[in-house]
Amino acid sequence: MPTTPVITARHLSKTYYTFRKPEGLRGALRSLFYRERVAREAVKGISFTVAPGELVGFLGPNGAGKTTTLKMLTGILHPTAGEAYVLGHIPWKREKSLLKQIALVMGQKSQLWWDLPAADTFLLNKDIYELSTSDYRRRLKELTELFELEDLLHIPVRQLSLGERMKCELAACLLHSPTVLFLDEPTIGLDLVSQRKLRHFLKEYNARHQLTIVLTSHYMQDVKELCRRVVVINHGVIIYDGSISDLLAQHAGTRLIKLTWAEPLPDQQVQEDMRRSLMTLAENSERRFRIAEFDAWSTVLEVSGGATAAGRTAAQITAVIPVSDVQIQEPDIEKVMAELFSTAPASGTDGAGDERAGSRL
């Protein structure tokens, strides 16, 4: 039987309204009687579902609508149109039965009391979520061991490093055993070691408890290590929903093949002969390729198409040219995402068509 989604969004939209004021004293006086209202569509009719235990990456450039979507799914914002259900509840109704089952961590905002130890925030959350003393102690013990918080609990938060604070933030949000966790750029500002540790903690917790996680991040390493599925949003609309491997296959136009010669090419003439041989193969190959790098020890070829095309090209070349090693390199996901964002159609999906209407006071 099909699994009931934990999160369902149908044609979800959010429009922000602001007022535009001309500069100068004249503009200020004029705005007392007439203001130009500007409507900006941050999210435009998106639809998707998330299954129980799924860890989904929600990706997009700045201003794409990621955080707005998360705020609607957690009930912080009301949508302009559409509907959403989280664990069967409408999130912006803010029902206690739902709030006890979800958590939101925002990398640029903190729920920890700055001048108090994290342990005091944990005690406060115990009362807010109405945890029994036994459940609280059991959960605190597990989270303290998992996030390695033994030496941090009783130190004022302002004296902790950014990575230590983020571990405490996560522990505070997981204390009440939520079913769904929303993470908005949790690794922002962290060093590489702290990022790696945080990813390990999240992966471990997800494996233990089958927690449903929706993650936004600008760090592609977070997504590659944690998420099997990604939802890409740009200009307020979803432009891709699927696996990372399919994303690369669909939007990465080339693969790189590195060939290491069986023996180093001894002189300039031999190198030129090898280069000409490769160019001849390129002209007759099923998939055209170009020489990206070439030296006496190896060459790197850029092949159009996916991994299958690269494999066939490598087999065709190694059948006639002796090599000691073949490496087919996966495309850089950050480069693919940047190209996807830049080539996504903006017509009708960005703020260029903002509704503008004069509003008299």
Side-chain angles (χ1 to χ4, degrees):
M1 292 182 63
T3 305
T4 302
V6 169
I7 300 172
T8 300
R10 298 193 191 103
H11 312 294
L12 200 61
S13 300
K14 179 63 180 179
T15 301
Y16 293 104
Y17 292 93
T18 59
F19 292 95
R20 177 173 295 169
K21 184 187 81 65
E23 69 280 358
L25 178 59
R26 178 177 295 181
L29 292 174
R30 183 174 182 271
S31 67
L32 292 174
F33 304 97
Y34 180 89
R35 292 192 296 176
E36 182 183 20
R37 191 172 74 160
V38 179
R40 178 180 176 275
E41 290 182 278
V43 178
K44 305 176 182 181
I46 64 173
S47 300
F48 64 93
T49 60
V50 178
E54 200 171 8
L55 209 164
V56 180
F58 203 62
L59 310 179
N62 289 330
K66 306 184 300 298
T67 300
T68 296
T69 301
L70 259 60
K71 286 182 176 180
M72 288 190 286
L73 292 177
T74 53
I76 296 174
L77 292 177
H78 285 241
T80 305
E83 56 186 9
Y85 299 93
V86 178
L87 298 170
H89 299 266
I90 299 173
W92 45 91
K93 286 188 175 181
R94 306 287 293 170
E95 297 167 309
K96 183 186 288 189
S97 54
L98 172 64
L99 298 180
K100 284 187 174 184
Q101 298 183 74
I102 65 173
L104 171 65
V105 176
M106 305 187 76
Q108 301 185 70
K109 289 182 170 44
S110 176
Q111 67 166 312
L112 302 173
W113 289 86
W114 188 247
D115 293 309
L116 298 177
D120 287 359
T121 300
F122 293 169
L123 281 171
L124 178 62
N125 283 6
K126 169 185 177 293
D127 293 334
I128 290 174
Y129 291 102
E130 300 175 345
L131 300 177
S132 67
T133 300
S134 59
D135 284 345
Y136 170 74
R137 288 175 176 170
R138 175 179 56 82
R139 294 289 297 149
L140 183 59
K141 182 176 184 295
E142 179 189 9
L143 293 170
T144 299
E145 292 174 354
L146 177 62
F147 290 111
E148 301 173 355
L149 302 178
E150 292 88 349
D151 299 327
L152 306 178
L153 291 178
H154 302 288
I155 299 175
V157 170
R158 56 183 168 79
Q159 295 179 8
L160 300 177
S161 70
L162 185 58
E164 291 169 340
R165 290 203 302 271
M166 184 51 64
K167 289 197 296 184
C168 292
E169 288 280 357
L170 278 171
C173 284
L174 295 173
L175 198 60
H176 62 287
S177 300
T179 305
V180 183
L181 176 63
F182 297 92
L183 295 174
D184 188 25
E185 300 187 42
T187 58
I188 189 168
L190 300 185
D191 60 65
L192 293 176
V193 174
S194 297
Q195 290 179 29
R196 190 180 300 116
K197 286 183 177 180
L198 201 61
R199 289 193 292 264
H200 170 75
F201 296 144
L202 288 171
K203 195 182 300 184
E204 177 71 18
Y205 191 90
N206 178 256
R208 285 189 190 182
H209 299 278
Q210 289 299 297
L211 176 68
T212 302
I213 300 177
V214 179
L215 164 74
T216 77
S217 180
H218 289 295
Y219 298 114
M220 290 301 102
Q221 196 62 33
D222 292 348
V223 178
K224 286 173 64 178
E225 291 190 19
L226 294 173
C227 306
R228 294 183 179 179
R229 173 188 168 201
V230 293
V231 176
V232 182
I233 185 172
N234 197 13
H235 302 294
V237 297
I238 291 176
I239 58 176
Y240 178 81
D241 184 351
S243 68
I244 294 179
S245 58
D246 286 346
L247 174 67
L248 296 176
Q250 293 177 26
H251 296 280
T254 60
R255 292 294 192 280
L256 296 179
I257 304 173
K258 182 178 181 180
L259 304 174
T260 302
W261 311 127
E263 297 289 341
L265 306 181
D267 55 47
Q268 190 69 29
Q269 184 59 50
V270 175
Q271 293 176 27
E272 287 300 323
D273 291 343
M274 181 63 78
R275 185 187 289 270
R276 280 194 292 270
S277 298
L278 286 172
M279 293 174 66
T280 300
L281 284 170
E283 292 175 358
N284 300 317
S285 175
E286 177 185 349
R287 288 280 184 172
R288 299 297 295 271
F289 62 86
R290 73 175 186 87
I291 302 173
E293 298 176 20
F294 187 95
D295 57 36
W297 295 271
S298 65
T299 185
V300 176
L301 309 175
E302 187 175 25
V303 185
S304 61
T308 302
R312 289 175 179 172
T313 301
Q316 180 185 4
I317 296 172
T318 55
V320 296
I321 296 178
V323 299
S324 63
D325 187 50
V326 179
Q327 297 178 13
I328 299 177
Q329 300 174 3
E330 285 297 318
D332 184 351
I333 187 172
E334 292 191 2
K335 181 179 178 182
V336 173
M337 295 300 295
E339 292 177 354
L340 182 60
F341 295 154
S342 63
T343 58
S347 177
T349 62
D350 64 3
D354 287 347
E355 169 196 339
R356 294 188 175 99
S359 174
R360 292 189 178 274
L361 296 180

